[in-house]
Short mmCIF file of all heavy atoms in Angstrom, two decimals:
data_model
loop_
_atom_site.label_atom_id
_atom_site.label_comp_id
_atom_site.label_asym_id
_atom_site.label_seq_id
_atom_site.Cartn_x
_atom_site.Cartn_y
_atom_site.Cartn_z
N GLU A 193 137.98 113.48 81.12
CA GLU A 193 137.40 112.03 81.53
C GLU A 193 136.94 112.13 82.99
O GLU A 193 135.89 111.62 83.35
CB GLU A 193 138.54 111.15 81.47
CG GLU A 193 137.98 109.71 81.01
CD GLU A 193 138.91 109.10 79.98
OE1 GLU A 193 139.89 108.55 80.39
OE2 GLU A 193 138.61 109.10 78.80
N VAL A 283 119.52 107.76 79.74
CA VAL A 283 119.79 109.05 80.24
C VAL A 283 118.47 109.67 80.81
O VAL A 283 118.45 110.19 81.90
CB VAL A 283 120.36 109.93 79.11
CG1 VAL A 283 120.41 111.43 79.56
CG2 VAL A 283 121.78 109.40 78.65
N GLY A 304 113.36 122.15 75.66
CA GLY A 304 114.61 121.38 75.97
C GLY A 304 114.45 120.35 77.06
O GLY A 304 115.28 119.48 77.13
N GLU A 380 97.00 102.07 96.22
CA GLU A 380 96.62 101.58 94.90
C GLU A 380 96.25 102.78 94.05
O GLU A 380 95.83 103.82 94.62
CB GLU A 380 95.39 100.65 95.06
CG GLU A 380 95.78 99.27 95.60
CD GLU A 380 94.49 98.42 95.82
OE1 GLU A 380 93.43 98.92 95.65
OE2 GLU A 380 94.73 97.33 96.28
N PHE A 381 96.31 102.66 92.82
CA PHE A 381 95.88 103.65 91.85
C PHE A 381 94.36 103.73 91.97
O PHE A 381 93.66 102.79 92.03
CB PHE A 381 96.29 103.37 90.50
CG PHE A 381 97.74 103.57 90.16
CD1 PHE A 381 98.60 102.50 89.98
CD2 PHE A 381 98.29 104.84 90.17
CE1 PHE A 381 99.97 102.65 89.83
CE2 PHE A 381 99.64 105.01 90.04
CZ PHE A 381 100.48 103.94 89.77
N ASP A 423 84.48 122.11 74.33
CA ASP A 423 83.76 121.01 74.86
C ASP A 423 83.85 120.94 76.38
O ASP A 423 82.90 120.56 77.08
CB ASP A 423 84.35 119.68 74.38
CG ASP A 423 84.15 119.53 72.83
OD1 ASP A 423 83.14 120.20 72.33
OD2 ASP A 423 84.76 118.69 72.16
N GLY A 431 73.75 120.67 83.23
CA GLY A 431 72.92 120.79 84.48
C GLY A 431 72.77 122.30 84.85
O GLY A 431 71.99 122.51 85.76
N ILE A 448 105.47 134.85 73.25
CA ILE A 448 105.53 134.69 74.65
C ILE A 448 104.46 133.65 75.17
O ILE A 448 104.80 132.79 76.02
CB ILE A 448 105.31 136.01 75.35
CG1 ILE A 448 106.41 137.00 74.90
CG2 ILE A 448 105.26 135.93 76.92
CD1 ILE A 448 106.23 138.44 75.36
N PHE A 514 80.14 141.83 84.28
CA PHE A 514 80.21 141.05 83.02
C PHE A 514 80.36 139.59 83.27
O PHE A 514 79.94 138.73 82.63
CB PHE A 514 81.36 141.54 82.15
CG PHE A 514 81.13 142.81 81.51
CD1 PHE A 514 81.79 143.97 81.73
CD2 PHE A 514 80.11 142.85 80.50
CE1 PHE A 514 81.56 145.15 81.04
CE2 PHE A 514 79.85 144.01 79.80
CZ PHE A 514 80.59 145.18 80.12
N ILE A 573 75.82 141.64 77.88
CA ILE A 573 75.68 143.05 78.28
C ILE A 573 74.37 143.30 79.09
O ILE A 573 74.36 143.90 80.14
CB ILE A 573 75.69 144.04 77.07
CG1 ILE A 573 77.21 144.00 76.51
CG2 ILE A 573 75.40 145.44 77.51
CD1 ILE A 573 77.34 144.62 75.11
N ARG A 637 78.92 118.96 126.54
CA ARG A 637 80.11 119.82 126.45
C ARG A 637 80.64 120.29 127.82
O ARG A 637 79.99 120.16 128.85
CB ARG A 637 79.71 121.03 125.67
CG ARG A 637 78.73 121.94 126.46
CD ARG A 637 78.25 123.05 125.66
NE ARG A 637 77.17 123.69 126.38
CZ ARG A 637 76.99 125.10 126.42
NH1 ARG A 637 77.84 125.89 125.76
NH2 ARG A 637 76.00 125.59 126.99
N GLN A 661 72.58 136.97 98.49
CA GLN A 661 71.86 135.71 98.77
C GLN A 661 72.54 134.89 99.91
O GLN A 661 71.92 134.24 100.70
CB GLN A 661 71.77 134.82 97.52
CG GLN A 661 70.78 135.41 96.57
CD GLN A 661 70.78 134.68 95.23
OE1 GLN A 661 71.82 134.65 94.61
NE2 GLN A 661 69.69 134.05 94.94
N ASN A 665 70.85 133.81 103.77
CA ASN A 665 70.66 132.42 104.26
C ASN A 665 70.87 132.43 105.78
O ASN A 665 71.90 132.84 106.33
CB ASN A 665 71.67 131.48 103.59
CG ASN A 665 71.58 130.09 104.17
OD1 ASN A 665 72.32 129.77 105.15
ND2 ASN A 665 70.71 129.28 103.67
N GLU A 666 69.89 131.87 106.50
CA GLU A 666 69.91 131.97 107.95
C GLU A 666 71.03 131.19 108.59
O GLU A 666 71.70 131.71 109.52
CB GLU A 666 68.52 131.42 108.49
CG GLU A 666 68.44 131.86 110.00
CD GLU A 666 67.13 131.49 110.58
OE1 GLU A 666 66.14 131.44 109.76
OE2 GLU A 666 67.02 131.17 111.69
N ARG A 707 80.42 119.47 105.13
CA ARG A 707 81.80 119.87 105.35
C ARG A 707 82.32 120.59 104.13
O ARG A 707 82.98 121.60 104.28
CB ARG A 707 82.68 118.58 105.58
CG ARG A 707 82.47 118.00 106.95
CD ARG A 707 83.60 116.96 107.24
NE ARG A 707 83.64 115.84 106.36
CZ ARG A 707 83.18 114.67 106.65
NH1 ARG A 707 82.65 114.39 107.82
NH2 ARG A 707 83.24 113.65 105.73
N THR A 712 84.07 125.60 101.73
CA THR A 712 83.99 126.45 100.64
C THR A 712 83.55 127.87 101.15
O THR A 712 84.14 128.88 100.64
CB THR A 712 83.01 125.97 99.54
OG1 THR A 712 83.43 124.67 99.18
CG2 THR A 712 82.91 126.87 98.34
N SER A 748 87.70 103.96 112.47
CA SER A 748 87.88 103.58 111.08
C SER A 748 87.64 102.10 110.92
O SER A 748 87.82 101.36 111.89
CB SER A 748 89.24 103.95 110.50
OG SER A 748 90.24 103.14 111.01
#
Side-chain angles (χ1 to χ4, degrees):
E193 215 139 76
V283 172
E380 285 173 359
F381 288 109
D423 293 342
I448 301 171
F514 283 115
I573 292 166
R637 70 185 170 140
Q661 288 175 298
N665 177 267
E666 195 174 328
R707 286 194 296 258
T712 302
S748 71

